[in-house]
Amino acid sequence: MTPLTIDAERFAADLAALNAIGWDGDGGLNRTALSDAHADARRWFLARANAAGLPTRVDSAGNHSALVPAADPAARTLLLGSHLDSVPHGGRFDGALGVLCALEVVRRVHEAGLELALALEAIDFTDEEGEYLGTLGSEALTGVLTSERLAAPRGGREAMLGAFQRAGLTEAELVHARRDPHTVAGFLELHIEQGPALERSGTQIGVVTGIRGNASFTVTLTGAARHAGTTPMDARRDAGVGAAAIILGVRELVMRDFPGCVANVGDVTLQPGAFNVVPARARLALECRSLDDDELTVLADAITTVARDQAARHDLEIAIEDVGRWTPVPTDARVRAAISAAAQEHGLSHVEMPSGAGHDAQVLAEIAPVGMVFVPSVGGISHHRDEFTSLQDCVNGANVLLGAAIALARTL
Ligand code: HGY
Ligand code: MN
Ligand code: MN
């Protein structure tokens, strides 16, 4: 029996329309969480769902959903989705492709009039990328969002509360987005790989085995502002030099002692920030990642030791603040099997592989079995305007998501 497939023409038109929302060409995609462009994309999502005759819902964490109820009103729900927010100057496929594929899956199930044992829900989670918090919407839905996290969000508390206000969200209401875990049968996420493996091996579908964990910190170094022209080089407490020493020291540590891990300093701000003043303060946005939780702890400790040693060497005070920790998680064998079977059914090559990037799926794993479908990223590029996945690869992924969702709605 030929498997149900998506409406590729409608899907392609929707992908082009969605890609344009927040796209500024040279600068890439600027659809950061709770921005105007993000709100435009979310309105577009609801409108497309309504146009297909699907009921929609927005919860108190701003998660946006399109629903296909099951015949039995007490049926649990299989969630499908990802995130419409992007990093600054990002790409058009990260997250957005997963939301569009989920929308197309629920539209096709609805149109085909399939009677499934589970309700289906295409969901767009709020602030996955961490403009403010990181996986905010999925943490609110699973109930793992804590007041400690909200007290020290990666993007700054004032900025987060301001964004909430503009978006009509309130911190107090976030907790009401929590779902009874017994109502969630599972979570399926389609995502671009964001790395080079599938393209290099010429494989069409990635069946994700596990998702890397992440420990994020802000590191603040304090030295002394001095005249850059008159202060002897050996008499400076230069926070900028300390920051550079930490960046290089962390890279050296990870490449020498943690081969399967990564670390990144994605932002450095120096103050007062003038040509002719020795920097008194440096703030570093630092993260590190591992597929194993114990290793992540050892890695994070080793990195903070390097930071403290370099601060001491450069006669700087140091403050290190933990601003987020995402646990590495395995995907569920049943979900992996359904994805592999769907790829097989569509005659698509597929391979099991880990995810180097973090995803909402690793948060949903706290309450339900999860799985991820990867499609190839051209050149392995992501979080950049050149991020690209071919239309055929997108359609392949959506068809696999459709097949896996139908199978899981009968077996989970
Ligand atoms: O950082 C990540 O891995 C994801 O893009 N939020
Ligand atoms: Mn993503
Ligand atoms: Mn991303």
Side-chain angles (χ1 to χ4, degrees):
M1 190 176 115
T2 44
L4 187 67
T5 53
I6 67 161
D7 178 334
E9 210 176 308
R10 169 177 65 191
F11 177 86
D14 277 350
L15 183 59
L18 180 54
N19 278 351
I21 303 175
W23 176 247
D24 68 5
D26 277 357
L29 187 77
N30 281 297
R31 206 162 66 202
T32 50
L34 305 181
S35 63
D36 291 346
H38 185 223
D40 291 345
R42 300 188 114 179
R43 270 191 290 276
W44 176 88
F45 169 79
L46 293 181
R48 296 301 290 147
N50 292 329
L54 298 176
T56 57
R57 170 174 54 207
V58 179
D59 70 17
S60 60
N63 298 318
H64 283 51
S65 297
L67 312 166
V68 177
D72 173 0
R76 294 175 303 152
T77 298
L78 176 62
L79 290 170
L80 313 154
S82 193
H83 59 93
L84 287 174
D85 64 299
S86 76
V87 293
H89 308 294
R92 292 167 288 183
F93 296 82
D94 175 0
L97 182 62
V99 173
L100 179 59
C101 288
L103 175 62
E104 179 58 22
V105 164
V106 297
R107 283 189 302 206
R108 288 298 289 129
V109 167
H110 173 67
E111 287 161 354
L114 297 187
E115 290 279 309
L116 300 177
L118 297 178
L120 295 187
E121 180 174 344
I123 189 164
D124 153 39
F125 287 114
T126 300
D127 188 22
E128 186 277 342
E129 291 289 5
E131 175 74 9
Y132 300 108
L133 192 94
T135 59
L136 172 84
S138 48
E139 288 187 30
L141 184 142
T142 53
V144 302
L145 182 59
T146 63
S147 48
E148 291 74 23
R149 286 260 296 131
L150 287 164
R154 286 196 323 189
R157 182 162 169 77
E158 288 323 303
M160 180 181 75
L161 295 178
F164 280 177
Q165 201 179 18
R166 288 192 303 277
L169 300 176
T170 62
E171 193 174 10
E173 290 291 305
L174 291 174
V175 70
H176 299 308
R178 181 182 174 280
R179 297 278 176 93
D180 171 353
H182 297 103
T183 64
V184 180
F187 177 63
L188 254 181
E189 180 168 7
L190 179 133
H191 206 285
I192 54 172
E193 178 205 337
Q194 300 180 291
L198 287 174
E199 184 183 56
R200 277 185 188 158
S201 65
T203 310
Q204 292 165 305
I205 296 291
V207 184
V208 175
T209 52
I211 304 169
R212 248 192 193 141
N214 175 334
S216 294
F217 305 92
T218 55
V219 176
T220 305
L221 299 169
T222 306
R226 290 288 183 274
H227 194 296
T230 57
T231 311
M233 290 304 279
D234 61 0
R236 299 180 181 202
R237 295 180 57 222
D238 185 333
V241 170
I246 289 173
I247 292 169
L248 290 171
V250 165
R251 176 180 167 79
E252 203 178 297
L253 168 84
V254 174
M255 295 184 78
R256 186 188 62 234
D257 301 342
F258 293 89
C261 300
V262 291
N264 188 54
V265 175
D267 185 42
V268 180
T269 41
L270 299 178
Q271 289 172 327
F275 278 91
N276 55 359
V277 181
V278 175
R281 276 165 60 89
R283 178 190 178 277
L284 292 77
L286 186 157
E287 63 150 61
C288 58
R289 305 193 191 206
S290 167
L291 272 170
D292 174 88
D293 208 27
D294 293 338
E295 184 182 50
L296 183 61
T297 301
V298 174
L299 171 63
D301 290 347
I303 283 176
T304 49
T305 301
V306 164
R308 293 191 193 289
D309 292 350
Q310 291 298 343
R313 235 183 92 216
H314 296 279
D315 190 16
L316 301 168
E317 286 151 44
I318 184 168
I320 301 175
E321 187 180 21
D322 172 348
V323 289
R325 171 106 184 207
W326 289 267
T327 309
V329 295
T331 56
D332 181 277
R334 294 164 295 174
V335 185
R336 289 198 299 272
I339 295 169
S340 301
Q344 195 77 27
E345 230 186 337
H346 286 278
L348 298 169
S349 58
H350 52 284
V351 65
E352 292 209 338
M353 60 186 294
S355 171
H359 301 284
D360 288 307
Q362 76 196 103
V363 177
L364 270 290
E366 299 278 341
I367 65 166
V370 303
M372 292 192 75
V373 180
F374 268 1
V375 290
S377 291
V378 172
I381 297 169
S382 184
H383 283 188
H384 183 273
R385 65 181 168 84
D386 291 345
E387 182 181 280
F388 185 76
T389 295
S390 74
L391 177 60
Q392 187 55 57
D393 281 336
C394 294
V395 170
N396 289 343
N399 279 326
V400 169
L401 190 73
L402 176 60
I406 293 170
L408 289 167
R410 292 183 172 134
T411 54
L412 273 181

